[in-house]
């Protein structure tokens, strides 16, 4: 009888297959992304008007449109990987870390190129005081919401999860500031994008405290 039980257990174990696509994070990811965009966009609007003609500039400049599109793709991928990293899976570290951060640097490369060949005419129109602090403020609540969701899961690398949530939140805030604040590639890098990247450091630090 014992041998039969052992054979049954062995047979069941042999039939087990790893789960490549863990369930339970797609809907939270979609809700968080929508909430983060609405929160950052709404709070920026409450703090002051957006740059006059920002949407017209998006339609009128191909370079600015591509720059914005690449940024949006990077945000979506980073946020998706942040939620996926909170649930153990067989996914490689390359996909979890290198791909989303690589897309973020591609987005930044557009601003570096823009220093030489800006997508729009550089102007002080719409400039906001202390916009680097505002960028971090816009990212704060989405970052905390993501970390507390991850706390209820089982991230095997909580620092990585916190880093990705911080980068996603900061990138959303930086993107909003591209329409709310003045347009200048160097200004965008120093006062919008870099504060957004710094939210990744803050997210990694807070993850060690919040996610137990």
């Amino acid at each position: 009888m014992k041998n039969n039980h052992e054979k049954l257990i062995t047979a069941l174990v042999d039939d087990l297959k790893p789960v490549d696509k863990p369930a339970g994070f797609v809907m939270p990811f979609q809700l968080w992304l929508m909430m983060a965009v609405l929160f950052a966009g709404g709070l920026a609007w409450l703090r002051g008007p957006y740059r006059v003609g920002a949407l017209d500039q998006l339609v009128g400049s191909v370079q600015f449109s591509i720059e914005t599109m690449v940024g949006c793709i990077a945000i979506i991928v980073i946020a998706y990987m942040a939620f996926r990293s909170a649930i153990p899976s067989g996914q490689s570290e390359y996909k979890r870390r290198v791909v989303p951060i690589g897309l973020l640097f591609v987005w930044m490369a557009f601003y570096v190129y823009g220093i030489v060949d800006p997508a729009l005419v550089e102007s002080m129109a719409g400039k906001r005081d202390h916009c680097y602090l505002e960028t971090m403020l816009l990212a704060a609540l989405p970052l905390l919401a993501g970390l507390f969701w991850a706390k209820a899961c089982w991230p095997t690398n909580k620092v990585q999860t916190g880093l990705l949530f911080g980068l996603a939140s900061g990138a959303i805030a930086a993107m909003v500031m591209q329409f709310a604040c003045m347009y200048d590639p160097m200004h965008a890098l120093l006062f919008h994008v870099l504060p957004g990247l710094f939210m990744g450091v803050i997210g990694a630090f807070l993850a060690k405290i919040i996610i137990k």
Side-chain angles (χ1 to χ4, degrees):
M1 189 70 176
K2 182 178 179 181
N3 290 335
N4 289 337
H5 286 167
E6 290 177 351
K7 289 180 181 179
L8 175 61
I9 293 171
T10 301
L12 291 174
V13 171
D14 289 341
D15 289 337
L16 290 177
K17 296 181 180 180
V19 178
D20 294 326
K21 296 182 179 180
F25 70 91
V26 175
M27 183 62 72
F29 152 71
Q30 294 172 337
L31 292 174
W32 180 90
L33 187 61
M34 181 176 64
M35 179 276 294
V37 172
L38 290 176
F39 173 80
L43 185 57
W45 180 77
L46 289 174
R47 290 181 56 82
Y50 279 50
R51 186 175 69 251
V52 177
L55 291 180
D56 293 334
Q57 292 172 335
L58 183 64
V59 175
S61 171
V62 175
Q63 184 178 333
F64 186 48
S65 298
I66 295 175
E67 180 179 285
T68 302
M69 181 178 65
V70 171
C72 290
I73 292 172
I75 288 169
I76 293 171
V77 172
I78 295 170
Y80 178 85
M81 289 301 179
F83 275 84
R84 184 157 190 174
S85 71
I87 299 176
S89 71
Q91 191 179 47
S92 69
E93 290 295 316
Y94 175 82
K95 289 184 178 180
R96 288 188 179 184
R97 190 181 305 163
V98 177
V99 172
I101 294 178
L103 283 172
L104 188 61
F105 278 99
V106 171
W107 180 38
M108 291 176 60
F110 277 89
Y111 295 112
V112 174
Y113 173 77
I115 296 174
V116 179
D117 182 19
L120 304 172
V121 177
E122 298 176 10
S123 170
M124 295 287 287
K127 185 178 186 302
R128 297 187 174 210
D129 295 331
H130 311 296
C131 57
Y132 64 96
L133 292 176
E134 186 172 351
T135 300
M136 298 174 70
L137 176 64
L138 299 181
L141 183 60
L143 169 58
L144 290 174
L147 290 179
F148 277 104
W149 177 85
K151 182 180 180 180
C153 301
W154 196 270
T156 55
N157 189 337
K158 59 185 179 183
V159 172
Q160 176 179 271
T161 299
L163 172 69
L164 291 174
F165 270 116
L167 290 177
S169 302
I172 289 171
M175 178 62 73
V176 168
M177 292 301 289
Q178 280 301 90
F179 294 89
C181 190
M182 62 178 280
Y183 181 86
D184 175 83
M186 182 62 77
H187 177 87
L189 279 172
L190 294 178
F191 299 102
H192 302 161
V193 177
L194 286 182
L197 293 178
F198 185 66
M199 293 304 295
V201 177
I202 294 176
F205 174 76
L206 290 178
K208 296 180 70 173
I209 301 173
I210 294 175
I211 303 175
K212 298 293 185 180

